[in-house]
């Protein structure tokens, strides 16, 4: 048997309280009624509720204040306000306080029922999300413990193997020096093979030990200016660049949150990789640039080397994986694996892109440094561009990181940005703004969202306001144009994550119209 939804009803008007209490009971809800905020707060400390339905104006305690305190006690609960004195200002204040919705008195049961059903659906989603987050935290904690143990085990094994390889290399070197004259050509060849193999094995074990240590070394996170870190990395690969003509192209680099020494290791590995695979090129061209992305910043290192087969890009960051033979390029396949491990420990990701015979791009993301405005470190290719007239933008996406990063991108140009964490919430926000006479100029919505996806959002927006511009974001990029019949409701499709220049281009028709 399905458990009844638990509703807490608060109203100082006895007749209204009793009538609504009776109607909600008949509708199948588990209802508890209170005549004031103090009694409601006491109940909230003793029992859990799914929804708080409260009057806005009550003696000594208004509904907004009650909502704030109630959500501190029970964060997963949703709040709906009832008021006979609703204004735009009171509605905005309530929504800012975390109230999900409000309904004007007097109302019929047929009017409040869909509001309650929608609010309980949001509460269910919140509860499911919180449960999934707790499960994910528990799984992540288990994975971290297992990874730490694996790293520790790999470190111990590598250390023991290193001792064995060093002994083998040492004795082979001594034997080669002392007995070389006594050995015939075949025996000398065998001894040289032993020595070469032991040297290579010792190097592999050393790299594996370093890789294991990267997983257990504590991170010293602090604001790091990447420009001087890159300069140190360039000095570290000077020997590899000697005798070659290297043309460096370095854009403006940001300040990020990270471990400076480990980030230097990342850049040393990427620059060394670029120099290695540009062997035979004259001149060598290596570029380093930064661009805004969803997590914060993406740092890219591009070269004009031999490139690689794009079909195997994911393999490049695996330990001991190589796409070129030792005959052409020496190495053991650990450099990019170290890059990936360091970047992922910083909460970022890595990617590789290639143009075989023309070059390759290796890029990694890092979180933005809090307190340092993004506009202060924008690459010169995309300078700050204040809006000719601020554009009102509504962002709709169920991913909070996407909302945060897009909001940062748009506010760089001075736009007025509001966010909605889902399709239904976004459509409701759009309709309220439209009714209040402060319509949004553009709605930027994600394509894939639960319950109400971007297609439904686009249809609702264009149906209510055909002149409002709609931009669709999708991981599939412009290819989705031919997938469905929703194209008439969408003005522009952008791939995720969108670049600032792409967003500006999508808003250009509005800016032109405003100007």
């Amino acid at each position: 048997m399905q458990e009844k939804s638990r509703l807490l009803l608060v109203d100082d008007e006895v007749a209204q309280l009793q009538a609504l209490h009776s109607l909600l009971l008949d509708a199948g809800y588990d209802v508890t009624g209170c005549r004031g905020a103090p009694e409601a707060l006491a109940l909230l400390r003793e029992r859990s509720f799914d929804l708080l339905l409260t009057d806005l104006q009550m003696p000594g305690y208004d509904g907004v204040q009650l909502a704030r305190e109630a959500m501190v006690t029970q964060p997963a609960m949703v709040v709906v306000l009832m008021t006979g004195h609703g204004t735009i200002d009171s509605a905005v204040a309530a929504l800012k306080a975390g109230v999900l919705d409000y309904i004007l008195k007097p109302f019929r049961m047929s009017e409040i029922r869909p509001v309650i059903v929608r609010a309980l659906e949001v509460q269910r989603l919140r509860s499911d999300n919180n449960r999934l987050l707790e499960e994910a935290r528990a799984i992540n904690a288990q994975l971290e413990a297992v990874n730490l143990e694996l790293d520790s085990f790999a470190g111990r094994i590598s250390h023991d193997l290193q001792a064995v390889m060093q002994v083998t290399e040492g004795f082979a070197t001594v034997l080669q020096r002392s007995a070389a004259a006594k050995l015939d050509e075949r025996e000398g060849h065998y001894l040289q093979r032993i020595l070469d193999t032991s040297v290579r094995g010792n190097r592999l074990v050393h790299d594996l030990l370093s890789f294991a240590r990267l997983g257990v070394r504590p991170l010293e996170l602090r604001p790091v200016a990447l420009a001087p870190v890159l300069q140190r990395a360039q000095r570290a690969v000077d020997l590899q660049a000697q005798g070659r003509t290297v043309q460096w192209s370095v854009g403006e680099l940001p300040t990020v949150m990270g471990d400076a020494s480990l980030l230097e290791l990342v850049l040393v590995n990427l620059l060394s990789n670029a120099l290695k695979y540009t062997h035979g090129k004259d001149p060598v061209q290596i570029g380093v640039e930064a661009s805004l992305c969803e997590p914060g910043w993406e740092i890219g290192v591009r070269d004009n080397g031999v490139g690689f087969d794009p079909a195997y890009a994911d393999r490049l960051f695996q330990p001991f994986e190589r796409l070129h033979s030792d005959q052409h390029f020496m190495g053991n396949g650990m450099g990019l694996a170290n890059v990936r491990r360091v970047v992922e420990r910083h909460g970022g990701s890595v990617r590789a892109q290639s143009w075989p015979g023309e070059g390759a791009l290796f890029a990694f993301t890092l979180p933005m440094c809090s307190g340092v405005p993004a506009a202060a470190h924008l690459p010169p290719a995309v300078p700050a561009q204040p809006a000719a007239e601020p554009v009102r933008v509504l962002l709709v996406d169920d991913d909070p990181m996407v909302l945060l990063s897009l909001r940062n991108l748009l506010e760089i140009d001075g736009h007025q940005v509001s966010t909605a964490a889902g399709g239904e919430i976004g459509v409701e926000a759009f309709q309220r703004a439209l009714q209040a006479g402060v319509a949004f100029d553009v709605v930027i919505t994600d394509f894939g969202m639960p319950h109400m996806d971007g297609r439904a959002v686009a249809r609702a927006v264009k149906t209510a306001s055909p002149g409002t511009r709609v931009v669709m974001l999708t991981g599939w990029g412009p290819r989705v144009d031919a997938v469905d019949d929703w194209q008439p409701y969408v003005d522009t499709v952008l791939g995720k994550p969108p670049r600032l220049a792409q967003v500006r281009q999508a808003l250009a028709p509005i800016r032109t119209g405003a100007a």
Side-chain angles (χ1 to χ4, degrees):
M1 183 176 177
Q2 188 175 4
E3 185 179 357
K4 293 181 178 180
S5 298
R6 300 176 300 277
L7 277 56
L8 179 59
L9 180 60
V10 185
D11 199 321
D12 60 318
E13 297 180 14
V14 177
Q16 174 77 12
L17 179 67
Q18 291 176 343
L20 191 53
H21 185 280
S22 177
L23 289 171
L24 292 174
L25 279 177
D26 292 342
Y29 297 111
D30 180 357
V31 187
T32 302
C34 297
R35 292 184 58 186
E39 183 183 354
L41 290 172
L43 277 171
L44 286 167
R45 287 188 286 268
E46 297 172 359
R47 297 169 50 189
S48 64
F49 292 90
D50 301 311
L51 183 147
L52 170 63
L53 185 60
T54 177
D55 191 20
L56 175 62
Q57 294 186 346
M58 296 180 291
Y61 237 93
D62 69 17
V64 174
Q65 185 180 358
L66 172 59
R68 287 197 187 97
E69 297 187 26
M71 285 185 287
V72 171
T73 305
Q74 297 190 26
M77 182 180 63
V78 292
V79 181
V80 175
L81 283 182
M82 304 177 292
T83 176
H85 309 280
T87 64
I88 294 298
D89 289 341
S90 65
V92 170
L95 294 173
K96 284 183 177 179
V99 172
L100 181 68
D101 209 341
Y102 69 95
I103 186 167
L104 297 175
K105 293 181 178 180
F107 50 78
R108 300 183 180 88
M109 189 61 188
S110 60
E111 296 172 335
I112 196 170
R113 186 191 296 273
V115 175
I116 292 176
V117 170
R118 184 168 59 247
L120 289 173
E121 176 65 13
V122 171
Q123 190 277 334
R124 185 187 65 78
L125 290 173
R126 285 184 184 175
S127 297
D128 289 346
N129 186 53
N130 290 337
R131 176 178 54 79
L132 291 173
L133 286 174
E134 287 301 321
E135 291 176 359
R137 290 190 189 102
I139 292 172
N140 284 336
Q142 293 174 1
L143 287 174
E144 288 177 5
V146 170
N147 285 333
L148 285 173
E149 180 57 32
L150 287 174
D151 287 334
S152 178
F153 175 74
R156 292 194 300 271
I157 294 297
S158 300
H159 183 273
D160 292 343
L161 284 174
Q162 190 174 47
V164 172
M165 299 306 298
Q166 286 174 343
V167 169
T168 304
E169 181 185 347
F171 278 116
T173 302
V174 171
L175 186 59
Q176 187 182 51
R177 289 175 181 172
S178 62
K182 304 174 185 177
L183 302 176
D184 60 29
E185 183 178 350
R186 187 177 185 182
E187 292 169 336
H189 173 71
Y190 288 158
L191 180 57
Q192 186 62 47
R193 290 288 299 271
I194 293 172
L195 182 59
D196 291 345
T197 302
S198 61
V199 169
R200 183 171 183 273
N202 195 24
R203 187 169 63 246
L204 285 174
V205 172
H206 176 270
D207 289 340
L208 182 58
L209 182 58
S210 299
F211 181 75
R213 286 171 176 164
L214 286 176
V216 296
R217 169 185 160 172
L219 293 178
E220 298 178 6
L221 296 177
R222 62 191 63 176
V224 178
L226 286 182
V229 174
L230 176 64
Q231 292 170 2
R232 293 196 297 271
Q234 287 175 301
R235 289 194 293 270
V237 298
D238 270 348
L239 187 61
Q240 198 175 348
Q242 278 184 1
R244 306 171 66 185
T245 303
V246 181
Q247 296 178 349
W248 295 95
S249 173
V250 179
E252 186 176 348
L253 299 180
T255 294
V256 298
M257 186 63 68
D259 185 306
S261 61
L262 290 180
L263 293 180
E264 183 177 338
L265 174 66
V266 167
L267 289 171
V268 166
N269 275 296
L270 292 179
L271 296 184
S272 177
N273 191 74
L275 287 167
K276 178 195 301 184
Y277 291 102
T278 51
H279 181 73
K281 292 285 185 175
D282 187 21
V284 174
Q285 296 175 343
I286 300 176
V288 183
E289 59 183 14
S291 59
L292 282 167
C293 64
E294 285 183 13
W297 292 99
E298 182 177 76
I299 315 300
V301 177
R302 186 188 296 268
D303 63 63
N304 65 333
V306 297
F308 56 86
D309 187 341
Y312 301 104
D314 292 340
R315 287 175 47 188
L316 285 170
F317 297 97
Q318 299 297 327
F320 304 114
E321 284 284 355
R322 304 192 66 230
L323 301 184
H324 300 279
S325 68
D326 283 347
Q327 293 178 343
H328 297 97
F329 302 98
M330 294 295 294
N332 52 34
M334 289 302 297
L336 292 178
N338 287 335
V339 168
R340 178 179 181 176
R341 169 154 284 202
V342 171
V343 170
E344 288 184 346
R345 289 199 65 199
H346 281 76
S349 60
V350 294
R351 69 180 180 94
Q353 191 173 351
S354 174
W355 300 266
E358 299 179 8
L361 168 70
F362 292 87
F364 60 96
T365 62
L366 291 171
M368 192 175 294
C369 182
S370 59
V372 178
H377 296 290
L378 278 175
V382 190
Q385 180 183 341
E389 200 168 316
V391 173
R392 284 178 48 78
V393 183
L394 175 63
L395 299 178
V396 184
D397 200 305
D398 59 324
D399 187 336
M401 288 304 298
V402 175
L403 289 178
L404 177 61
S405 99
L406 273 177
R407 182 171 194 150
N408 288 336
L409 284 176
L410 290 163
E411 287 181 345
I412 288 172
D413 286 350
H415 298 303
Q416 298 175 4
V417 185
S418 299
T419 60
E424 292 179 341
I425 299 173
V427 169
E428 290 173 5
F430 179 84
Q431 290 173 342
R432 288 196 188 101
L434 196 62
Q435 292 169 1
V438 286
F440 292 98
D441 301 303
V442 60
V443 175
I444 302 178
T445 178
D446 187 25
F447 182 87
M449 295 181 291
H451 302 290
M452 177 180 277
D453 64 14
R455 295 171 296 184
V457 172
R459 288 191 183 98
V461 169
K462 286 291 190 180
T463 300
S465 175
T468 300
R469 191 167 183 81
V470 176
V471 177
M472 184 77 76
L473 300 180
T474 170
W476 298 330
R479 289 175 295 171
V480 298
D481 267 352
V483 172
D484 206 340
D485 60 350
W486 48 267
Q487 300 98 316
Y489 304 100
V490 176
D491 298 287
T492 305
V493 178
L494 296 181
K496 294 177 71 174
R499 304 291 186 186
L500 181 56
Q502 294 173 322
V503 175
R504 285 174 174 167
Q505 186 176 4
L507 299 184
I510 304 172
R511 292 167 54 83
T512 303

